[in-house]
Structure formats: structure tokens, C-alpha cells
Amino acid sequence: MDTGDTTWILIATALVFFMHVPGLALFYGGLVSDRNVVSTMMHSFVSLLIVSVVWILWGYSLSYGTDIGGFIGGLNYLGFNNVGEEAALGTLTIPHYLFAMLQIAYAAITVAIISGGIAGRISFSAWVLFAVLWPTLVYAPMAHWVWGGGWLFKMGELDFAGGTVVHILSGVSALVAALMIGPREKSLSHKHRPHNIVLFLFGAAALWFGWFGFNGGSALASGGITSLAFATTHVAGATAGIGWLIIEWVIRKRPTLIGTATGAIAGLVAITPGAGYVTIPSALIIGLLASPVCYFSINFLKHRLKYDDTLDAFGVHGMAGIWGAIATGIFAKKSINPAGNDGLLYGNLQQLLHQFIGVSTAIVLAIVGTFVVLKIISLFVPLRVSKEDELLGLDLSLHEEPAYTNISMQPQKER
């Protein structure tokens, strides 16, 4: 084992946990109304707690256990059995304990992202069950297929840090959950306004900071590929933020802080699958094109189809993840990372086809898996809170814990 690699992955793992709280919790918490701040932050925090336990007990084994037919991992790591101080998976230069902990962080934030599509109306009991079942039935199989030696891995689909496994899976699942649970009261006729842009921006900055660990840590070592992932991550976020700013300036005649920061997050999502496989100039292009993809998805597709994805989890993570995974098949360059392959730009059409298969697989699994999970949960608890609880706000109705002392105990009047 290598002490330098181990030190870096320890830091990277901590950075990814930092993306949960304060990162995603503040990012989502600032975007919702002042009556749903605590409940929204609870989704991020509680998912980290529950998924951590699920991952230790069986999730890690299903993802990284001995391959069974290319479709699922064996049970040799149940309860972290056979996970110790030895080199991870027999080939890496970091302890097995550490590799498994990094995977906990990835799995947990994938679940937390989904909460953005259904914030303000999902019941807390349903969310707790979802945080147990979804990573077991949806995330673990996909993680095995792509990263654990499964059939997509063997085929050659590239996903450096989670374009298909994390972002497409969570974004599409958020959309399915939003459609199944239904829109917020009067949400389609009244524009939702974020209650605290300062919290939102701090959360966005924390996510960007944590993303260096998210993408850089996926190199599973410290060195040249890690440095490449650092650089591509930053420049893609920067160009995407600029792209969104320009689009808003042209269409709306004024740029917004929320839009610019959202654009940056879209760029960070888009570069995730190719962070260690593409060049810096390619990362600039991937980030820049992520902005129009996500902007028009949120501002046109969403309103045309009238689905209520509360915090645009699908519009940002789903759509940018799809673009990023496909872009990896276009811009990947084997000479900068021998573990990857050349993409279409370098004469390899087959890699682009592999990426399309990976994207399609993630979409189908997210749709079917999330539908099944929510149907199972609905047999035991209501998926949605009552109309009265929703109008009062979930902070008071579910937790009796308002984020601000001036929040009224009376339900909001319907307009």
C-alpha cells in the first residue's frame, strides 16, 4: 500500500461527506420555502445516516462482492466481513476499509439528490423506507454493473466518477418519484421562490469544493490522473456557470446568481463521468454545453410537460449526467489515461455506442426500480403528506421544528 494514496483518499472521502452536510443540505434548503427548510435538510442528513448502515450491512457486498454472472455482487462482504486493512480488492494501493468508506459517501449522496424532486410533499416515513430500499434495489446493481466488475464494466462503458451510477440514476429517479407522488399544491400556477439565496450559494460552493474529492477521489490514488480530474472538474464548472449566465442575460435580459450557480453545478455533473478520461479543452466544451442542455430542460421541457420536479434534480443531475456520459464517449482519450479508451473524436465509434448503452441502462433501471420501490413503500405508509400538512409546511407538521422563529403556525392560504 502507498501512504500518499491513502492520505489523499482519506481527504477525498471526507470531502464527499462534506457534500452532504453542509453542501447539498444548504443548496436544497436555500431553494425551498421557509416552511420546508428543516424537512429538506433532514432528507440529506438522514439519507447519509441510513445509507451508511445499509451499505455496511449489505449494500457494499452487493456492489463489490464476488461477481455473479455480471449482474450482482456476492455476499462475501456482508457486514463488512472480509473488509480490513489489506489492499482494497487486491489491486489498489489503499486499505480496503478506506475504499469501502468512499463508496458509502457516493451511495449516500445519490439518494440525497433524489429528495430535490419531491421536497415539500413526501412523508418522512416514506423517505426513511426509500433510503433503505432504493440503494439496495437500484443503486447497488448499477454500481456493480459499472464499477464492481459487472457487465457494463466488461463491455467497456466509461464512468470515471458517477455520471450513470450517481447522476443519471438519481435525476431520473427524482423525476419518477415526482410524477408518482404528484405536484405540490398549486405549484403549476404559482412560481416557486427560493427563501434564502445566501444559504443556497454557500451550499453550491460547498458542493463545488467537495466535488474535487468526488471526482479526484475516483482515481483511487494520488498522481497524474487525480490532477487531471481536479483540473477538468474546475474548468467544466467554470465554463458551465459562464454559459448559464450568458443564456440568462440574452433571454431574460439580466443574469441571476441562482442561475449562474446552478449552471456551475450542471457543469460539475457533466464532467463527472469523464473527469479522468478527457483533456482540459474537452472539459471546457463539456461544461459549456451542459448549460443549454440543462437550462432548456428546466425552463422549457419542464413547463411543457408540467411535471413538478421541485428543485430540478432531473433538470440538472439527470440531463447533465446524460450529456456528460455521452460526451465521454466523444472526447475520451486513451493516451492521457490508459485505463480508458479513445472516444469518437479519436476514431472510436464503438465507445460512443457503449456510452449510449450505459445511459439507456441507467434510465431504464431508474424508472423501473424507483417505480417498484415506491409501490412497495405505498403498501405500508402514505407516500405523500396530507394537504393540511403541506400547506402548514413540513418543518412544523412533521418535525415541529421551524427553521425561523417567525414562521406562522397557520397553514398558508391557497390563492
Side-chain angles (χ1 to χ4, degrees), residues 124-155:
F124 188 67
S125 55
W127 179 251
V128 168
L129 292 176
F130 186 86
V132 174
L133 294 177
W134 191 88
T136 302
L137 300 177
V138 181
Y139 181 89
M142 190 70 190
H144 181 76
W145 297 347
V146 177
W147 293 334
W151 68 276
L152 285 172
F153 175 84
K154 294 173 182 176
M155 181 187 71

Coordinates of all heavy atoms in Angstrom, one line a residue, residues 124-155:
F124 N -42.2 11.7 5.8 CA -40.9 11.3 6.3 C -40.7 9.8 6.4 O -39.6 9.3 6.2 CB -40.7 12.0 7.6 CG -39.3 11.9 8.2 CD1 -38.2 12.5 7.5 CD2 -39.0 11.1 9.3 CE1 -36.9 12.3 8.0 CE2 -37.7 11.0 9.8 CZ -36.7 11.6 9.1
S125 N -41.8 9.2 6.8 CA -41.7 7.7 6.9 C -41.4 7.1 5.6 O -40.7 6.1 5.5 CB -43.0 7.1 7.5 OG -44.1 7.5 6.8
A126 N -42.0 7.6 4.5 CA -41.8 7.1 3.2 C -40.3 7.3 2.8 O -39.7 6.5 2.2 CB -42.7 7.7 2.2
W127 N -39.8 8.5 3.2 CA -38.4 8.8 2.8 C -37.4 7.8 3.5 O -36.4 7.4 3.0 CB -38.1 10.2 3.2 CG -36.6 10.6 2.8 CD1 -35.6 10.8 3.7 CD2 -36.0 10.7 1.5 NE1 -34.4 11.0 3.0 CE2 -34.7 11.0 1.7 CE3 -36.5 10.5 0.2 CZ2 -33.8 11.1 0.6 CZ3 -35.7 10.7 -0.8 CH2 -34.3 11.0 -0.6
V128 N -37.7 7.5 4.8 CA -36.9 6.6 5.5 C -36.8 5.2 4.9 O -35.7 4.6 4.7 CB -37.3 6.5 7.0 CG1 -36.7 5.3 7.7 CG2 -37.1 7.8 7.8
L129 N -38.0 4.7 4.5 CA -38.0 3.4 3.8 C -37.4 3.5 2.4 O -36.7 2.6 2.0 CB -39.5 3.0 3.7 CG -40.2 2.6 5.0 CD1 -41.7 2.3 4.7 CD2 -39.5 1.4 5.6
F130 N -37.5 4.6 1.8 CA -36.9 4.8 0.4 C -35.4 4.7 0.6 O -34.7 4.2 -0.3 CB -37.3 6.2 -0.1 CG -36.8 6.4 -1.5 CD1 -37.6 6.0 -2.6 CD2 -35.7 7.1 -1.8 CE1 -37.1 6.2 -3.9 CE2 -35.2 7.3 -3.1 CZ -36.0 6.9 -4.2
A131 N -34.8 5.4 1.6 CA -33.4 5.4 1.8 C -32.8 4.0 2.1 O -31.6 3.8 2.0 CB -33.0 6.3 3.0
V132 N -33.7 3.0 2.5 CA -33.3 1.7 2.7 C -33.4 0.8 1.4 O -32.5 0.1 1.0 CB -34.1 1.0 3.8 CG1 -33.8 -0.5 3.9 CG2 -33.9 1.7 5.2
L133 N -34.6 1.0 0.8 CA -34.9 0.1 -0.4 C -34.2 0.5 -1.7 O -33.7 -0.3 -2.4 CB -36.4 0.0 -0.6 CG -37.2 -0.6 0.5 CD1 -38.7 -0.6 0.2 CD2 -36.8 -2.1 0.7
W134 N -34.1 1.8 -1.9 CA -33.6 2.3 -3.2 C -32.1 2.0 -3.4 O -31.8 1.5 -4.5 CB -33.9 3.8 -3.4 CG -33.6 4.3 -4.8 CD1 -34.5 4.3 -5.8 CD2 -32.4 4.8 -5.3 NE1 -33.9 4.8 -7.0 CE2 -32.6 5.1 -6.7 CE3 -31.1 5.0 -4.7 CZ2 -31.6 5.7 -7.5 CZ3 -30.1 5.6 -5.5 CH2 -30.3 5.9 -6.9
P135 N -31.3 2.3 -2.4 CA -29.9 1.9 -2.7 C -29.7 0.4 -2.8 O -28.7 -0.1 -3.4 CB -29.1 2.5 -1.5 CG -30.2 2.7 -0.4 CD -31.5 3.0 -1.2
T136 N -30.6 -0.4 -2.2 CA -30.4 -1.8 -2.2 C -30.9 -2.4 -3.6 O -30.2 -3.2 -4.2 CB -31.3 -2.5 -1.2 OG1 -30.9 -2.0 0.1 CG2 -31.2 -4.0 -1.2
L137 N -32.0 -1.9 -4.1 CA -32.6 -2.5 -5.3 C -32.2 -1.8 -6.6 O -32.3 -2.3 -7.7 CB -34.1 -2.5 -5.2 CG -34.7 -3.3 -4.0 CD1 -36.2 -3.2 -4.0 CD2 -34.2 -4.8 -4.1
V138 N -31.8 -0.5 -6.5 CA -31.4 0.3 -7.7 C -30.0 0.6 -7.8 O -29.3 0.3 -8.7 CB -32.3 1.6 -7.8 CG1 -32.0 2.3 -9.0 CG2 -33.8 1.2 -7.7
Y139 N -29.4 1.3 -6.7 CA -28.1 1.8 -6.8 C -27.1 0.6 -6.8 O -26.1 0.6 -7.6 CB -27.8 2.7 -5.6 CG -26.4 3.3 -5.6 CD1 -26.1 4.5 -6.3 CD2 -25.3 2.6 -5.0 CE1 -24.8 5.0 -6.3 CE2 -24.0 3.1 -5.0 CZ -23.8 4.3 -5.7 OH -22.5 4.8 -5.7
A140 N -27.2 -0.3 -5.9 CA -26.2 -1.4 -5.8 C -26.0 -2.2 -7.1 O -24.9 -2.4 -7.5 CB -26.6 -2.3 -4.6
P141 N -27.1 -2.6 -7.8 CA -26.9 -3.3 -9.0 C -26.2 -2.4 -10.1 O -25.3 -2.9 -10.7 CB -28.3 -3.6 -9.5 CG -29.1 -3.6 -8.2 CD -28.5 -2.6 -7.4
M142 N -26.5 -1.1 -10.2 CA -25.9 -0.3 -11.2 C -24.4 -0.1 -10.8 O -23.5 -0.1 -11.7 CB -26.6 1.1 -11.2 CG -26.2 1.9 -12.4 SD -26.7 1.3 -14.0 CE -25.8 2.3 -15.1
A143 N -24.1 0.1 -9.5 CA -22.7 0.3 -9.1 C -21.9 -1.0 -9.5 O -20.7 -0.9 -9.9 CB -22.6 0.5 -7.6
H144 N -22.5 -2.2 -9.3 CA -21.8 -3.4 -9.6 C -21.6 -3.5 -11.1 O -20.5 -3.9 -11.6 CB -22.6 -4.6 -9.1 CG -21.9 -5.9 -9.4 ND1 -20.8 -6.3 -8.7 CD2 -22.1 -6.8 -10.4 CE1 -20.3 -7.5 -9.2 NE2 -21.1 -7.8 -10.2
W145 N -22.6 -3.2 -11.9 CA -22.5 -3.3 -13.4 C -21.4 -2.4 -13.9 O -20.7 -2.8 -14.8 CB -23.8 -2.9 -14.0 CG -25.0 -3.8 -13.7 CD1 -24.9 -5.0 -13.1 CD2 -26.4 -3.5 -13.9 NE1 -26.2 -5.5 -12.9 CE2 -27.1 -4.6 -13.4 CE3 -27.1 -2.4 -14.5 CZ2 -28.5 -4.7 -13.5 CZ3 -28.4 -2.5 -14.6 CH2 -29.1 -3.6 -14.1
V146 N -21.2 -1.2 -13.4 CA -20.3 -0.2 -13.9 C -18.9 -0.3 -13.2 O -17.9 -0.2 -13.9 CB -20.9 1.2 -13.8 CG1 -19.8 2.3 -14.3 CG2 -22.1 1.3 -14.6
W147 N -18.9 -0.4 -11.9 CA -17.7 -0.3 -11.1 C -17.2 -1.6 -10.5 O -16.0 -1.7 -10.1 CB -17.8 0.8 -10.0 CG -17.9 2.2 -10.5 CD1 -17.5 2.7 -11.7 CD2 -18.5 3.3 -9.8 NE1 -17.8 4.0 -11.8 CE2 -18.4 4.4 -10.7 CE3 -19.2 3.4 -8.6 CZ2 -18.9 5.7 -10.3 CZ3 -19.7 4.7 -8.2 CH2 -19.5 5.8 -9.1
G148 N -18.1 -2.5 -10.3 CA -17.8 -3.7 -9.5 C -17.5 -4.9 -10.3 O -17.5 -6.0 -9.8
G149 N -17.2 -4.7 -11.6 CA -16.9 -5.8 -12.4 C -18.0 -6.5 -13.2 O -17.9 -7.6 -13.7
G150 N -19.2 -5.8 -13.2 CA -20.4 -6.3 -13.9 C -20.3 -6.1 -15.4 O -19.3 -5.8 -16.0
W151 N -21.5 -6.3 -16.0 CA -21.5 -6.5 -17.5 C -21.2 -5.2 -18.2 O -20.5 -5.2 -19.3 CB -22.9 -7.0 -17.9 CG -24.0 -6.1 -17.7 CD1 -24.7 -6.0 -16.6 CD2 -24.6 -5.3 -18.7 NE1 -25.8 -5.0 -16.8 CE2 -25.7 -4.6 -18.1 CE3 -24.4 -5.0 -20.0 CZ2 -26.5 -3.7 -18.7 CZ3 -25.2 -4.1 -20.7 CH2 -26.2 -3.5 -20.1
L152 N -21.6 -4.0 -17.7 CA -21.2 -2.8 -18.3 C -19.7 -2.5 -18.2 O -19.1 -2.0 -19.2 CB -22.0 -1.6 -17.7 CG -23.4 -1.5 -18.1 CD1 -24.2 -0.4 -17.3 CD2 -23.6 -1.2 -19.6
F153 N -19.1 -2.9 -17.1 CA -17.7 -2.7 -16.9 C -16.9 -3.6 -17.9 O -16.0 -3.2 -18.6 CB -17.3 -3.1 -15.5 CG -15.8 -3.2 -15.2 CD1 -15.1 -2.0 -14.9 CD2 -15.1 -4.4 -15.3 CE1 -13.7 -2.0 -14.7 CE2 -13.7 -4.4 -15.1 CZ -13.1 -3.2 -14.8
K154 N -17.4 -4.8 -18.1 CA -16.7 -5.8 -19.0 C -16.9 -5.3 -20.5 O -16.1 -5.5 -21.3 CB -17.3 -7.2 -18.8 CG -17.0 -7.8 -17.5 CD -17.7 -9.1 -17.3 CE -17.4 -9.7 -15.9 NZ -18.1 -10.9 -15.6
M155 N -18.1 -4.7 -20.8 CA -18.3 -4.2 -22.1 C -17.4 -3.0 -22.4 O -17.0 -2.8 -23.6 CB -19.8 -3.7 -22.2 CG -20.2 -3.2 -23.6 SD -21.8 -2.5 -23.6 CE -21.6 -1.0 -22.7

